[in-house]
Amino acid sequence: MAAMLSSSLFRNTISRRCSQCQAYVVSKCLGTSTDGSDFMSPPLPPMKEYKNETPDLRRARLLYQSRKRGMLENGLILSTFASKYLNDLNEQQLMQYDTLINEPTNDWDIYYWITGAKSPPDEFNNEIMQLLKDFVKNDERASRLKQPDL
């Protein structure tokens, strides 16, 4: 009985306070002002740095991360791209690719950028982005219905 009473009391308290706290929660958790203006994204954790990573180890990590995306479309595009180009990329290009697939938190942004639906921000508009855009055009009409084997 006590558990049921406290549970009921908790629900009633929450429902009363929800309307009072909604603006605060939106403001603090989502990074918006209470009137909806000045929208800001929530703070993002910094990209993880892998110190003392050899180029071969970086390529292996990037190959795996290219396959394990948040959405199938990017998994197919990035895994086939990585399978074709990753071994030939130099250190600077590897860093650009690493930043591209690990810094943005929204896979839809990456998808729209590489398919040309949206322009990428300046920090991602580099030679790797252009290589990806050319790859997505699929001028050779390669079949990309499944991820390549590891």
Side-chain angles (χ1 to χ4, degrees), residues 35-46:
D35 65 352
S37 63
D38 299 323
F39 177 76
M40 298 180 339
S41 296
L44 301 174

Side-chain angles (χ1 to χ4, degrees), residues 44-75:
L44 301 174
M47 189 175 115
K48 184 176 179 181
E49 272 189 58
Y50 295 89
K51 296 182 190 237
N52 302 323
E53 187 176 50
T54 66
D56 289 337
L57 187 58
R58 175 179 278 169
R59 283 184 176 89
R61 176 177 57 79
L62 291 174
L63 180 62
Y64 178 80
Q65 289 175 334
S66 297
R67 298 173 62 86
K68 304 298 181 186
R69 305 307 307 168
M71 54 186 269
L72 178 60
E73 292 85 345
N74 278 0

Side-chain angles (χ1 to χ4, degrees), residues 14-129:
I14 292 300
S15 64
R16 276 195 311 262
R17 293 189 182 210
C18 278
S19 61
Q20 297 168 358
C21 297
Q22 187 174 11
Y24 178 79
V25 169
V26 167
S27 171
K28 296 301 179 190
C29 295
L30 299 179
T32 60
S33 64
T34 55
D35 65 352
S37 63
D38 299 323
F39 177 76
M40 298 180 339
S41 296
L44 301 174
M47 189 175 115
K48 184 176 179 181
E49 272 189 58
Y50 295 89
K51 296 182 190 237
N52 302 323
E53 187 176 50
T54 66
D56 289 337
L57 187 58
R58 175 179 278 169
R59 283 184 176 89
R61 176 177 57 79
L62 291 174
L63 180 62
Y64 178 80
Q65 289 175 334
S66 297
R67 298 173 62 86
K68 304 298 181 186
R69 305 307 307 168
M71 54 186 269
L72 178 60
E73 292 85 345
N74 278 0
L76 288 170
I77 292 169
L78 295 175
S79 67
T80 53
F81 174 84
S83 178
K84 183 173 183 177
Y85 290 106
L86 210 56
N87 288 329
D88 298 327
L89 299 180
N90 62 36
E91 257 323 291
Q92 180 185 5
Q93 292 168 325
L94 283 173
M95 184 53 121
Q96 290 174 353
Y97 185 67
D98 192 357
T99 302
L100 173 67
I101 68 169
N102 287 305
E103 196 168 282
T105 59
N106 188 345
D107 261 13
W108 281 108
D109 287 338
I110 297 171
Y111 180 78
Y112 290 141
W113 298 338
I114 61 180
T115 59
K118 290 184 180 179
S119 297
D122 289 340
E123 66 263 25
F124 298 113
N125 200 8
N126 52 41
E127 61 185 309
I128 289 298
M129 181 60 69

